[in-house]
Amino acid sequence: ETGVTQTPRHLVMGMTNKKSLKCEQHLGHNAMYWYKQSAKKPLELMFVYNFKEQTENNSVPSRFSPECPNSSHLFLHLHTLQPEDSALYLCASSQGPRTDRAEAFFGQGTRLTVV
Amino acid sequence: LAKTTQPISMDSYEGQEVNITCSHNNIATNDYITWYQQFPSQGPRFIIQGYKTKVTNEVASLFIPADRKSSTLSLPRVSLSDTAVYYCLVGESGNTGKLIFGQGTTLQVKP
């Protein structure tokens, strides 16, 4: 248990569906992240939020829409996804925003399958 | 951006000490070096962090030479459960708080 909780753990969705991934942390952290990890590939940073403000969008397609209503919650809204978007989506948090102390805590991830 | 270079894979046997070296030639003065461990279908888990010389905790040791252009993660007496991917990260200067993961080193521990 890392203190970062992601729901759901598994999700199967059609290409025309709309779904949302949720991430919650009560560690008092100010930075939250979304990562994508495709099979046998390194983690790809998608979005970074510092103090609820988006500070990084790593050229992510608009079919992925993040939302950070407060410093404890982070959402990833999904719509009209493609099969190649199937991956493990990981949320993380850290004290942030500086990374000279780069200890982050990761959730267990959501295994997304797009059919 | 401080890039890191690690071996793609390593094999070891139970009970052996494993040393994984990471190169980070462009490390900045304020950057720390951090190592994570990841098991399949799980999020990475923090192992150890250091700035210079040697750091030791209950899981591993981290050796950093004076020039800080490389670092070595040392896992004492590995077991089968240490089979995982190990990532070396170097913190970016600035305020964006990005954590950039490279390809990592896949460690396979054999009986």
Side-chain angles (χ1 to χ4, degrees), chain B residues 36-96:
Chain B
Y36 286 83
Q37 175 193 55
Q38 186 182 26
F39 298 112
S41 297
Q42 293 187 26
R45 181 177 72 104
F46 172 87
I47 300 175
I48 197 167
Q49 183 179 74
Y51 184 80
K52 62 180 179 181
T53 63
K54 176 184 175 182
V55 179
T56 297
N57 61 24
E58 65 277 7
V59 176
S61 294
L62 179 59
F63 299 92
I64 305 168
D67 65 7
R68 304 201 327 123
K69 293 183 183 297
S70 67
S71 59
T72 299
L73 175 72
S74 180
L75 304 173
R77 300 182 59 81
V78 294
S79 64
L80 296 177
S81 62
D82 292 316
T83 294
V85 180
Y86 292 83
Y87 295 97
C88 165
L89 276 70
V90 174
E92 282 191 335
S93 59
N95 296 318
T96 59

Side-chain angles (χ1 to χ4, degrees), chain B residues 1-64:
Chain B
L1 177 63
K3 295 180 60 175
T4 60
T5 303
Q6 306 173 232
I8 293 175
S9 63
M10 294 182 68
D11 288 340
S12 181
Y13 291 92
E14 282 190 292
Q16 289 188 332
E17 178 184 77
V18 171
N19 295 310
I20 306 174
T21 297
C22 177
S23 297
H24 28 79
N25 292 318
N26 299 320
I27 189 169
T29 302
N30 293 332
D31 288 342
Y32 280 72
I33 300 152
T34 310
W35 286 79
Y36 286 83
Q37 175 193 55
Q38 186 182 26
F39 298 112
S41 297
Q42 293 187 26
R45 181 177 72 104
F46 172 87
I47 300 175
I48 197 167
Q49 183 179 74
Y51 184 80
K52 62 180 179 181
T53 63
K54 176 184 175 182
V55 179
T56 297
N57 61 24
E58 65 277 7
V59 176
S61 294
L62 179 59
F63 299 92
I64 305 168

Side-chain angles (χ1 to χ4, degrees), chain B residues 98-111:
Chain B
K98 290 194 292 187
L99 299 175
I100 305 297
F101 286 76
Q103 63 183 8
T105 298
T106 299
L107 172 66
Q108 180 70 51
V109 180
K110 302 175 181 178

Side-chain angles (χ1 to χ4, degrees), chain A residues 19 34 76:
Chain A
K19 296 287 184 182
W34 279 118
L76 188 62

Side-chain angles (χ1 to χ4, degrees), chain A residues 15-89:
Chain A
M15 288 188 285
T16 58
N17 291 158
K18 291 183 180 181
K19 296 287 184 182
S20 296
L21 309 184
K22 180 181 177 182
C23 177
E24 186 173 355
Q25 60 91 6
H26 296 288
L27 301 170
H29 290 167
N30 297 309
M32 297 188 77
Y33 314 79
W34 279 118
Y35 286 85
K36 173 186 177 182
Q37 189 171 34
S38 303
K40 300 189 183 300
K41 290 186 178 180
L43 284 81
E44 300 173 44
L45 180 65
M46 300 175 71
F47 301 103
V48 180
Y49 277 81
N50 287 301
F51 299 97
K52 302 187 299 179
E53 298 296 322
Q54 186 182 128
T55 55
E56 189 79 18
N57 178 336
N58 200 25
S59 301
V60 180
S62 60
R63 58 186 184 268
F64 296 91
S65 175
E67 179 189 2
C68 189
N70 55 62
S71 57
S72 298
H73 294 85
L74 185 64
F75 295 90
L76 188 62
H77 303 301
L78 315 171
H79 64 96
T80 59
L81 295 192
Q82 304 298 312
E84 59 265 28
D85 295 321
S86 298
L88 181 67
Y89 288 84

